[in-house]
Amino acid sequence: MRRSFSYRVFSVANHLFLVLISLLCILPLLHILAVSLSSKAAATANIVKFWPVELTFDAYRLTIENSFFIGSLWNSIERTVLGTLISMVLCITAAYALSKENRVFPGRTFYSWFFIFTMLFSAGLIPSYLVVTNLGIKNTIWALVLPGAVSVYNMVLMLNFFRGIPKDLEEAAFMDGAGHFVTLWKVYLPLSMPSVATLSLFSMVGNWNAWFDGLIYLNNAQDYPLATLLQQLTAGIDMSTSSAVNADALKNIAQRTVKAAQIFLSMIPILIVYPFLQRYFVQGMTLGSVKE
């Protein structure tokens, strides 16, 4: 079919816009990678753009040998795994209950508005800090995981996805003797994998990039997650003295290249996970699940 002139103009403009947005996302990453692979003289002179100048891997070698950085990396991995698992369990179970009709779950409307209220109003930082302190979880991994374990936004998305699943499947499971937990595990979750994968990625990225809670809930810098450590480094706070860093190596490497290497390494875990979850974004697994 022949496309109209206006449609072709729109298509070209749309593609150019998407290319521009993509470049705005990719070019900063290329610049950071180029700086991390450049020599001290080139990085200090600020002549590195999108290609390394005087290629060297000293910044990455120094970062990998830095026990302080590796410890923070492990703290971030632990926080992300625990935070994502707990968040998704709470999100899925709450969404399943709230997706039922009022005749099945009479208190559904009240609890739904209770959750929505927390999206609009918050007690603030000081009450949250007092709760974490009085619960005795300050300076532990649970201070980073539990306060934000329930994402109401993710729960609402999952709730709407569950409502779109045909009720015939649930009724068939109940007729076969399944309870709510079996129905959730064997019917709802397999059909909801695109939504689960998407929300899991949201939770992973949120936990991986969160830095402020680590700054206020953790007193020992060795317990910092990687995002908090990088925030302190980019803010100009030198924390290299707290780790096993070769002082002689620091003389031959610019701090800018070391920071660039640390920032780039911190992005690799999410970049590795994303392709495995991306395939679920475009799958409509409920399509055709119920035959007429």
Side-chain angles (χ1 to χ4, degrees):
M1 183 177 65
R2 185 179 179 84
R3 303 292 185 180
S4 65
F5 176 75
S6 59
Y7 177 85
R8 285 179 289 173
V9 171
F10 171 78
S11 180
V12 172
N14 190 36
H15 282 80
L16 290 176
F17 177 75
L18 293 177
V19 169
L20 178 61
I21 295 298
S22 300
L23 290 176
L24 291 176
C25 297
I26 295 174
L27 291 181
L29 300 182
L30 294 179
H31 176 70
I32 292 175
L33 178 61
V35 171
S36 67
L37 295 173
S38 299
S39 65
K40 178 179 181 179
T44 304
N46 199 24
I47 61 175
V48 182
K49 302 303 179 184
F50 303 111
W51 192 260
V53 178
E54 300 176 359
L55 181 66
T56 176
F57 295 92
D58 290 342
Y60 287 94
R61 177 180 56 80
L62 184 66
T63 300
I64 294 175
E65 293 175 354
N66 188 341
S67 60
F68 199 65
F69 178 86
I70 299 301
S72 295
L73 177 62
W74 171 250
N75 293 336
S76 283
I77 294 175
E78 183 181 9
R79 181 218 174 120
T80 302
V81 172
L82 284 175
T84 301
L85 288 176
I86 294 175
S87 177
M88 291 308 300
V89 169
L90 296 177
C91 174
I92 290 172
T93 52
Y96 175 79
L98 295 178
S99 66
K100 303 306 175 185
E101 299 177 354
N102 285 322
R103 60 182 180 82
V104 179
F105 182 23
R108 182 185 70 85
T109 302
F110 169 78
Y111 287 108
S112 297
W113 281 108
F114 181 84
F115 280 108
I116 297 299
F117 181 85
T118 64
M119 295 181 65
L120 305 176
F121 302 97
S122 173
L125 178 60
I126 294 178
S128 300
Y129 180 84
L130 293 176
V131 169
V132 170
T133 303
N134 292 330
L135 287 176
I137 60 176
K138 185 182 176 183
N139 294 318
T140 66
I141 189 66
W142 303 112
L144 308 179
V145 172
L146 295 182
V150 179
S151 173
V152 180
Y153 176 78
N154 290 352
M155 188 201 69
V156 171
L157 294 180
M158 182 64 70
L159 185 155
N160 291 329
F161 196 92
F162 282 166
R163 285 180 176 175
I165 294 178
K167 296 299 181 182
D168 295 9
L169 297 176
E170 181 182 34
E171 293 173 358
F174 288 157
M175 291 180 64
D176 290 338
H180 284 291
F181 283 102
V182 175
T183 303
L184 173 62
W185 179 255
K186 293 188 176 182
V187 176
Y188 276 78
L189 283 184
L191 296 176
S192 305
M193 286 309 298
S195 181
V196 172
T198 302
L199 298 183
S200 296
L201 183 61
F202 289 167
S203 181
M204 288 179 190
V205 174
N207 281 284
W208 188 265
N209 291 334
W211 63 270
F212 185 66
D213 49 0
L215 195 61
I216 62 176
Y217 294 139
L218 302 177
N219 294 333
N220 191 351
Q222 293 182 349
D223 296 330
Y224 281 171
L226 190 56
T228 304
L229 174 66
L230 293 179
Q231 189 277 335
Q232 293 288 280
L233 292 174
T234 54
I237 300 176
D238 185 9
M239 307 182 73
S240 60
T241 56
S242 302
S243 58
V245 177
N246 189 342
D248 294 333
L250 285 174
K251 298 178 181 179
N252 301 321
I253 304 175
Q255 284 291 332
R256 186 183 177 192
T257 59
V258 176
K259 292 179 181 179
Q262 293 172 342
I263 293 173
F264 189 80
L265 287 175
S266 69
M267 295 185 293
I268 291 179
I270 295 298
L271 294 177
I272 293 176
V273 171
Y274 182 80
F276 293 98
L277 299 180
Q278 184 188 22
R279 65 191 181 94
Y280 289 107
F281 295 172
V282 295
Q283 291 181 1
M285 298 185 71
T286 61
L287 183 62
S289 57
V290 177
K291 303 299 182 182
E292 296 294 341

